[in-house]
Amino acid sequence: MKLKITTRTLELKHTWTISRGSSDSKTYNFIELEDEGVVGLGEAAHNIRYDESLESIHDFLQEAAALLKDANPAAFFELGLAVNQLGMGQQAAKAAIDIALMDWNAKKLGVPLHRILGLQSNKTPLTSYSIGIDKLEIMQQKIIEARDYPILKIKLGGDDDEAIMHAVREVTNKIIRVDANEGWVDRNEALEKIKWLARMGVEFVEQPMPANRLDDIAWLRQHSPLPLVADEDVKTARDIPALAMAYDGINIKIMKSGGLQEAWRMILLARSLGLKIMLGCMVESSLGISAAAQLSPLVDWADLDGNLLIRNDPFQGASVKAGKIILPNATGVGVQPMM
Ligand code: MG
């Protein structure tokens, strides 16, 4: 297998702000895995939150290239494990390789990837559409522009939460999911906010408090009127058993898990522990999103909107119609480069 690494800059339609910070563009590593004339595509939407950078991902990919050079891409299960063992972390790099391997295999067999997994394209869920933190008038404008999406995800976790929710409710009565992105530090403060959000018609709250505070989350869950969903607290299957005592659900992202194969294992494990499952994403092109969408018939909630935030998406693939994820018919993860 030949591995080619390129970098691309994704320009965002609006400055993207969450409780951690802001950005106007994202520059990521993208890969092409070529063997026997078939090319598998992968994307590494790295995240500084997990100690990943453009350089650290690039270094990992180069190390993996040596491992993949003489390997058989059809042995994707074994190869995925070997890539995982190259080192701790750098999950986005592992994800890029796994996406490319799965894309390659489904293309080689001439079918869309979800067919290999035994999933039906008509079983995809609705996706929420995320509204980043902004001036209240701009958030309201974004909500009005998101008229095609029946479910919205609102980013909170700062000092303006109440003003934001009032502004949101002024312009919409849609289902609202809230992501605090670790923003509420005190559990009593978190509980007060959650009780108030329940009265504002919110469906659930994602990562209300900083990661690694499972005792506080377990306490919060005992008192919370809303389900609590882990995001920053969960990366791979290894994290899940401990979370089942504290959370109602988990947000799986292929860029955190290290790819589709680990996300699949996480879905099976989370189900066996009675957890609800959300499939989320980073800001990603349609390549990463279309790969994740292949697993979406398996989950309760989807938040696969990262590509919708980009002005210059380099790929075309999965789409959204009236909020429902539409899987492409094409082979592999189903993306075509945009000319
Ligand atoms: Mg989140």
Side-chain angles (χ1 to χ4, degrees), residues 121-168:
S121 57
N122 61 352
K123 298 278 175 67
T124 56
L126 297 173
T127 179
S128 50
Y129 182 81
S130 298
I131 307 291
I133 296 170
D134 214 318
K135 291 200 186 86
L136 297 181
E137 313 83 76
I138 296 177
M139 290 185 76
Q140 288 181 322
Q141 190 55 40
K142 287 182 189 171
I143 290 169
I144 292 163
E145 284 168 18
R147 58 179 68 81
D148 292 342
Y149 300 92
I151 305 170
L152 299 176
K153 183 155 123 178
I154 305 295
K155 296 284 192 176
L156 295 182
D159 296 333
D160 303 326
D161 291 345
E162 295 204 4
I164 289 172
M165 279 305 294
H166 281 301
V168 167

Short mmCIF file of all heavy atoms in Angstrom, two decimals, residues 121-168:
data_model
loop_
_atom_site.label_atom_id
_atom_site.label_comp_id
_atom_site.label_asym_id
_atom_site.label_seq_id
_atom_site.Cartn_x
_atom_site.Cartn_y
_atom_site.Cartn_z
N SER A 121 -29.77 1.69 4.51
CA SER A 121 -29.66 3.15 4.34
C SER A 121 -30.92 3.89 4.74
O SER A 121 -30.87 5.07 5.05
CB SER A 121 -29.29 3.48 2.89
OG SER A 121 -30.25 2.94 2.02
N ASN A 122 -32.08 3.20 4.78
CA ASN A 122 -33.31 3.92 5.17
C ASN A 122 -33.46 4.02 6.69
O ASN A 122 -34.41 4.61 7.19
CB ASN A 122 -34.54 3.24 4.56
CG ASN A 122 -34.72 1.81 5.02
OD1 ASN A 122 -33.84 1.26 5.70
ND2 ASN A 122 -35.83 1.20 4.70
N LYS A 123 -32.50 3.44 7.45
CA LYS A 123 -32.60 3.48 8.92
C LYS A 123 -31.77 4.61 9.54
O LYS A 123 -31.54 4.62 10.74
CB LYS A 123 -32.12 2.14 9.50
CG LYS A 123 -32.96 0.93 9.08
CD LYS A 123 -34.20 0.79 9.93
CE LYS A 123 -35.12 -0.33 9.47
NZ LYS A 123 -34.55 -1.67 9.63
N THR A 124 -31.30 5.53 8.72
CA THR A 124 -30.49 6.62 9.28
C THR A 124 -31.35 7.52 10.17
O THR A 124 -32.54 7.71 9.90
CB THR A 124 -29.87 7.49 8.17
OG1 THR A 124 -30.92 7.98 7.34
CG2 THR A 124 -28.87 6.71 7.35
N PRO A 125 -30.75 8.11 11.22
CA PRO A 125 -31.51 9.02 12.10
C PRO A 125 -31.52 10.45 11.55
O PRO A 125 -30.88 10.75 10.54
CB PRO A 125 -30.69 8.96 13.40
CG PRO A 125 -29.28 8.73 12.93
CD PRO A 125 -29.37 7.88 11.68
N LEU A 126 -32.25 11.30 12.25
CA LEU A 126 -32.16 12.75 11.99
C LEU A 126 -30.85 13.24 12.59
O LEU A 126 -30.39 12.71 13.60
CB LEU A 126 -33.31 13.48 12.67
CG LEU A 126 -34.74 13.16 12.20
CD1 LEU A 126 -35.74 13.86 13.11
CD2 LEU A 126 -34.95 13.57 10.75
N THR A 127 -30.25 14.24 12.00
CA THR A 127 -29.09 14.87 12.63
C THR A 127 -29.50 16.22 13.21
O THR A 127 -30.37 16.90 12.66
CB THR A 127 -27.92 15.08 11.66
OG1 THR A 127 -26.85 15.73 12.38
CG2 THR A 127 -28.29 15.94 10.47
N SER A 128 -28.88 16.58 14.32
CA SER A 128 -29.05 17.93 14.83
C SER A 128 -28.13 18.86 14.05
O SER A 128 -27.20 18.42 13.38
CB SER A 128 -28.74 17.99 16.32
OG SER A 128 -27.49 17.40 16.60
N TYR A 129 -28.41 20.13 14.15
CA TYR A 129 -27.57 21.16 13.53
C TYR A 129 -27.06 22.06 14.65
O TYR A 129 -27.83 22.56 15.46
CB TYR A 129 -28.39 21.96 12.51
CG TYR A 129 -27.60 23.01 11.78
CD1 TYR A 129 -26.81 22.67 10.69
CD2 TYR A 129 -27.64 24.34 12.19
CE1 TYR A 129 -26.07 23.64 10.02
CE2 TYR A 129 -26.90 25.31 11.52
CZ TYR A 129 -26.12 24.96 10.44
OH TYR A 129 -25.39 25.91 9.78
N SER A 130 -25.74 22.25 14.70
CA SER A 130 -25.14 22.95 15.84
C SER A 130 -25.05 24.45 15.61
O SER A 130 -24.66 24.90 14.54
CB SER A 130 -23.73 22.43 16.10
OG SER A 130 -23.80 21.06 16.45
N ILE A 131 -25.40 25.18 16.65
CA ILE A 131 -25.31 26.64 16.62
C ILE A 131 -24.18 27.03 17.58
O ILE A 131 -24.31 26.83 18.79
CB ILE A 131 -26.64 27.29 17.08
CG1 ILE A 131 -27.83 26.75 16.27
CG2 ILE A 131 -26.55 28.81 17.02
CD1 ILE A 131 -27.88 27.16 14.82
N GLY A 132 -23.08 27.54 17.04
CA GLY A 132 -21.96 27.95 17.88
C GLY A 132 -22.30 29.20 18.68
O GLY A 132 -23.28 29.89 18.40
N ILE A 133 -21.47 29.49 19.68
CA ILE A 133 -21.69 30.67 20.51
C ILE A 133 -21.34 31.92 19.69
O ILE A 133 -20.31 31.96 19.01
CB ILE A 133 -20.82 30.59 21.79
CG1 ILE A 133 -21.27 29.40 22.64
CG2 ILE A 133 -20.90 31.89 22.58
CD1 ILE A 133 -20.33 29.07 23.80
N ASP A 134 -22.20 32.92 19.74
CA ASP A 134 -21.98 34.14 18.97
C ASP A 134 -22.79 35.26 19.60
O ASP A 134 -23.45 35.04 20.62
CB ASP A 134 -22.44 33.90 17.50
CG ASP A 134 -21.56 34.67 16.52
OD1 ASP A 134 -21.24 35.84 16.81
OD2 ASP A 134 -21.20 34.09 15.48
N LYS A 135 -22.76 36.45 18.99
CA LYS A 135 -23.66 37.52 19.43
C LYS A 135 -25.09 36.99 19.30
O LYS A 135 -25.40 36.25 18.37
CB LYS A 135 -23.49 38.75 18.54
CG LYS A 135 -22.17 39.46 18.70
CD LYS A 135 -22.31 40.91 18.17
CE LYS A 135 -20.98 41.62 18.16
NZ LYS A 135 -20.22 41.37 16.91
N LEU A 136 -25.96 37.42 20.21
CA LEU A 136 -27.30 36.84 20.25
C LEU A 136 -28.04 37.01 18.93
O LEU A 136 -28.71 36.08 18.46
CB LEU A 136 -28.12 37.47 21.39
CG LEU A 136 -27.57 37.21 22.79
CD1 LEU A 136 -28.46 37.85 23.84
CD2 LEU A 136 -27.40 35.72 23.07
N GLU A 137 -27.91 38.19 18.30
CA GLU A 137 -28.63 38.41 17.03
C GLU A 137 -28.11 37.46 15.97
O GLU A 137 -28.87 36.97 15.13
CB GLU A 137 -28.44 39.85 16.51
CG GLU A 137 -28.63 40.95 17.52
CD GLU A 137 -27.36 41.18 18.35
OE1 GLU A 137 -26.40 41.79 17.86
OE2 GLU A 137 -27.36 40.74 19.52
N ILE A 138 -26.80 37.18 15.99
CA ILE A 138 -26.23 36.28 14.97
C ILE A 138 -26.68 34.85 15.24
O ILE A 138 -27.02 34.11 14.32
CB ILE A 138 -24.69 36.41 14.94
CG1 ILE A 138 -24.33 37.84 14.50
CG2 ILE A 138 -24.07 35.39 14.00
CD1 ILE A 138 -22.86 38.15 14.48
N MET A 139 -26.73 34.47 16.52
CA MET A 139 -27.23 33.12 16.84
C MET A 139 -28.69 32.98 16.37
O MET A 139 -29.06 31.96 15.79
CB MET A 139 -27.14 32.84 18.34
CG MET A 139 -25.70 32.67 18.82
SD MET A 139 -25.60 32.21 20.56
CE MET A 139 -26.04 30.48 20.49
N GLN A 140 -29.46 34.01 16.58
CA GLN A 140 -30.86 33.95 16.14
C GLN A 140 -30.93 33.85 14.61
O GLN A 140 -31.73 33.09 14.07
CB GLN A 140 -31.63 35.20 16.61
CG GLN A 140 -31.89 35.17 18.12
CD GLN A 140 -32.66 36.38 18.60
OE1 GLN A 140 -32.43 37.49 18.13
NE2 GLN A 140 -33.57 36.17 19.55
N GLN A 141 -30.06 34.60 13.93
CA GLN A 141 -30.03 34.54 12.46
C GLN A 141 -29.65 33.14 11.99
O GLN A 141 -30.26 32.60 11.07
CB GLN A 141 -29.01 35.59 11.95
CG GLN A 141 -29.05 35.81 10.45
CD GLN A 141 -30.44 36.17 9.94
OE1 GLN A 141 -31.16 36.93 10.59
NE2 GLN A 141 -30.85 35.59 8.82
N LYS A 142 -28.65 32.54 12.65
CA LYS A 142 -28.23 31.17 12.28
C LYS A 142 -29.38 30.18 12.48
O LYS A 142 -29.56 29.25 11.69
CB LYS A 142 -27.05 30.72 13.15
CG LYS A 142 -25.71 31.37 12.82
CD LYS A 142 -24.65 30.78 13.74
CE LYS A 142 -23.33 31.51 13.66
NZ LYS A 142 -22.39 31.04 14.70
N ILE A 143 -30.14 30.39 13.55
CA ILE A 143 -31.27 29.48 13.83
C ILE A 143 -32.34 29.63 12.74
O ILE A 143 -32.89 28.63 12.27
CB ILE A 143 -31.85 29.76 15.23
CG1 ILE A 143 -30.84 29.29 16.28
CG2 ILE A 143 -33.20 29.08 15.42
CD1 ILE A 143 -31.15 29.74 17.69
N ILE A 144 -32.58 30.86 12.33
CA ILE A 144 -33.58 31.08 11.27
C ILE A 144 -33.09 30.46 9.96
O ILE A 144 -33.85 29.82 9.24
CB ILE A 144 -33.87 32.60 11.13
CG1 ILE A 144 -34.60 33.08 12.39
CG2 ILE A 144 -34.67 32.89 9.88
CD1 ILE A 144 -34.60 34.58 12.60
N GLU A 145 -31.77 30.59 9.68
CA GLU A 145 -31.21 30.00 8.46
C GLU A 145 -31.25 28.47 8.50
O GLU A 145 -31.23 27.82 7.47
CB GLU A 145 -29.76 30.46 8.26
CG GLU A 145 -29.64 31.89 7.76
CD GLU A 145 -28.21 32.40 7.85
OE1 GLU A 145 -27.27 31.58 7.97
OE2 GLU A 145 -28.04 33.64 7.82
N ALA A 146 -31.30 27.90 9.70
CA ALA A 146 -31.29 26.43 9.85
C ALA A 146 -32.71 25.87 9.78
O ALA A 146 -33.03 24.87 10.41
CB ALA A 146 -30.63 26.04 11.17
N ARG A 147 -33.55 26.49 8.97
CA ARG A 147 -34.97 26.10 8.95
C ARG A 147 -35.17 24.66 8.51
O ARG A 147 -36.17 24.04 8.87
CB ARG A 147 -35.79 27.06 8.08
CG ARG A 147 -35.36 27.17 6.64
CD ARG A 147 -36.28 28.13 5.88
NE ARG A 147 -36.13 29.51 6.33
CZ ARG A 147 -35.15 30.33 5.93
NH1 ARG A 147 -34.23 29.90 5.07
NH2 ARG A 147 -35.07 31.57 6.37
N ASP A 148 -34.23 24.10 7.73
CA ASP A 148 -34.39 22.73 7.24
C ASP A 148 -34.07 21.66 8.29
O ASP A 148 -34.24 20.48 8.03
CB ASP A 148 -33.48 22.48 6.03
CG ASP A 148 -33.92 23.31 4.82
OD1 ASP A 148 -35.08 23.77 4.83
OD2 ASP A 148 -33.10 23.49 3.91
N TYR A 149 -33.57 22.09 9.45
CA TYR A 149 -33.15 21.11 10.46
C TYR A 149 -34.11 21.12 11.63
O TYR A 149 -34.26 22.13 12.31
CB TYR A 149 -31.73 21.43 10.93
CG TYR A 149 -30.76 21.40 9.79
CD1 TYR A 149 -30.46 22.56 9.07
CD2 TYR A 149 -30.19 20.20 9.38
CE1 TYR A 149 -29.61 22.52 7.99
CE2 TYR A 149 -29.34 20.16 8.29
CZ TYR A 149 -29.05 21.32 7.61
OH TYR A 149 -28.23 21.29 6.52
N PRO A 150 -34.78 19.98 11.90
CA PRO A 150 -35.79 19.96 12.96
C PRO A 150 -35.22 19.92 14.37
O PRO A 150 -35.95 20.13 15.33
CB PRO A 150 -36.58 18.68 12.67
CG PRO A 150 -35.67 17.83 11.85
CD PRO A 150 -34.75 18.74 11.11
N ILE A 151 -33.92 19.62 14.50
CA ILE A 151 -33.30 19.53 15.84
C ILE A 151 -32.07 20.43 15.86
O ILE A 151 -31.23 20.35 14.97
CB ILE A 151 -32.86 18.09 16.15
CG1 ILE A 151 -34.03 17.12 15.99
CG2 ILE A 151 -32.26 17.99 17.56
CD1 ILE A 151 -33.61 15.65 16.04
N LEU A 152 -31.94 21.24 16.90
CA LEU A 152 -30.77 22.12 17.01
C LEU A 152 -29.94 21.73 18.22
O LEU A 152 -30.47 21.29 19.24
CB LEU A 152 -31.22 23.58 17.17
CG LEU A 152 -32.03 24.16 16.00
CD1 LEU A 152 -32.49 25.57 16.35
CD2 LEU A 152 -31.22 24.16 14.71
N LYS A 153 -28.62 21.88 18.10
CA LYS A 153 -27.74 21.70 19.25
C LYS A 153 -27.14 23.07 19.58
O LYS A 153 -26.52 23.70 18.72
CB LYS A 153 -26.64 20.68 18.94
CG LYS A 153 -25.74 20.40 20.14
CD LYS A 153 -25.11 19.03 20.02
CE LYS A 153 -23.61 19.13 20.08
NZ LYS A 153 -22.96 17.82 20.03
N ILE A 154 -27.38 23.50 20.80
CA ILE A 154 -26.92 24.82 21.23
C ILE A 154 -25.71 24.65 22.14
O ILE A 154 -25.73 23.85 23.08
CB ILE A 154 -28.05 25.56 22.00
CG1 ILE A 154 -29.32 25.64 21.15
CG2 ILE A 154 -27.58 26.96 22.43
CD1 ILE A 154 -29.22 26.46 19.90
N LYS A 155 -24.67 25.40 21.83
CA LYS A 155 -23.45 25.36 22.64
C LYS A 155 -23.58 26.35 23.80
O LYS A 155 -23.79 27.55 23.57
CB LYS A 155 -22.25 25.74 21.76
CG LYS A 155 -21.98 24.75 20.63
CD LYS A 155 -21.32 23.50 21.15
CE LYS A 155 -20.79 22.63 20.01
NZ LYS A 155 -20.06 21.47 20.53
N LEU A 156 -23.49 25.84 25.01
CA LEU A 156 -23.51 26.70 26.20
C LEU A 156 -22.23 26.45 26.99
O LEU A 156 -21.25 25.95 26.48
CB LEU A 156 -24.75 26.41 27.06
CG LEU A 156 -26.13 26.71 26.44
CD1 LEU A 156 -27.23 26.40 27.45
CD2 LEU A 156 -26.25 28.16 26.00
N GLY A 157 -22.26 26.76 28.29
CA GLY A 157 -21.10 26.50 29.13
C GLY A 157 -20.36 27.75 29.52
O GLY A 157 -19.22 27.70 30.00
N GLY A 158 -20.99 28.91 29.34
CA GLY A 158 -20.33 30.17 29.72
C GLY A 158 -21.22 31.00 30.63
O GLY A 158 -22.18 30.49 31.21
N ASP A 159 -20.89 32.30 30.73
CA ASP A 159 -21.64 33.19 31.61
C ASP A 159 -22.97 33.64 31.01
O ASP A 159 -23.82 34.15 31.72
CB ASP A 159 -20.79 34.44 31.93
CG ASP A 159 -19.53 34.06 32.69
OD1 ASP A 159 -19.57 33.03 33.39
OD2 ASP A 159 -18.53 34.78 32.58
N ASP A 160 -23.12 33.47 29.69
CA ASP A 160 -24.30 34.02 29.02
C ASP A 160 -25.36 32.97 28.72
O ASP A 160 -26.23 33.18 27.87
CB ASP A 160 -23.87 34.68 27.69
CG ASP A 160 -22.83 35.75 27.92
OD1 ASP A 160 -22.90 36.41 28.97
OD2 ASP A 160 -21.95 35.91 27.05
N ASP A 161 -25.30 31.84 29.41
CA ASP A 161 -26.20 30.73 29.06
C ASP A 161 -27.67 31.13 29.07
O ASP A 161 -28.43 30.77 28.16
CB ASP A 161 -26.00 29.56 30.04
CG ASP A 161 -24.64 28.90 29.86
OD1 ASP A 161 -23.99 29.14 28.82
OD2 ASP A 161 -24.24 28.13 30.75
N GLU A 162 -28.08 31.88 30.09
CA GLU A 162 -29.50 32.21 30.19
C GLU A 162 -29.92 33.14 29.07
O GLU A 162 -30.96 32.94 28.44
CB GLU A 162 -29.81 32.83 31.56
CG GLU A 162 -29.57 31.83 32.68
CD GLU A 162 -30.38 32.14 33.94
OE1 GLU A 162 -31.18 33.09 33.91
OE2 GLU A 162 -30.19 31.42 34.92
N ALA A 163 -29.09 34.15 28.80
CA ALA A 163 -29.41 35.09 27.72
C ALA A 163 -29.47 34.36 26.38
O ALA A 163 -30.35 34.61 25.55
CB ALA A 163 -28.36 36.20 27.68
N ILE A 164 -28.55 33.42 26.18
CA ILE A 164 -28.53 32.67 24.92
C ILE A 164 -29.82 31.86 24.78
O ILE A 164 -30.48 31.90 23.73
CB ILE A 164 -27.28 31.75 24.86
CG1 ILE A 164 -26.01 32.59 24.67
CG2 ILE A 164 -27.43 30.74 23.72
CD1 ILE A 164 -24.72 31.81 24.78
N MET A 165 -30.19 31.12 25.83
CA MET A 165 -31.38 30.27 25.72
C MET A 165 -32.65 31.10 25.52
O MET A 165 -33.54 30.70 24.78
CB MET A 165 -31.52 29.38 26.96
CG MET A 165 -30.65 28.13 26.91
SD MET A 165 -30.89 27.09 25.43
CE MET A 165 -32.57 26.53 25.67
N HIS A 166 -32.72 32.26 26.17
CA HIS A 166 -33.90 33.12 25.95
C HIS A 166 -33.94 33.57 24.49
O HIS A 166 -34.99 33.55 23.86
CB HIS A 166 -33.87 34.33 26.89
CG HIS A 166 -34.34 34.00 28.28
ND1 HIS A 166 -35.59 33.48 28.53
CD2 HIS A 166 -33.73 34.10 29.48
CE1 HIS A 166 -35.73 33.29 29.84
NE2 HIS A 166 -34.60 33.64 30.44
N ALA A 167 -32.76 33.95 23.95
CA ALA A 167 -32.70 34.41 22.56
C ALA A 167 -33.08 33.27 21.61
O ALA A 167 -33.79 33.47 20.62
CB ALA A 167 -31.30 34.93 22.25
N VAL A 168 -32.62 32.05 21.94
CA VAL A 168 -32.93 30.88 21.11
C VAL A 168 -34.44 30.64 21.11
O VAL A 168 -35.06 30.48 20.05
CB VAL A 168 -32.19 29.63 21.64
CG1 VAL A 168 -32.74 28.36 21.01
CG2 VAL A 168 -30.69 29.76 21.39
#
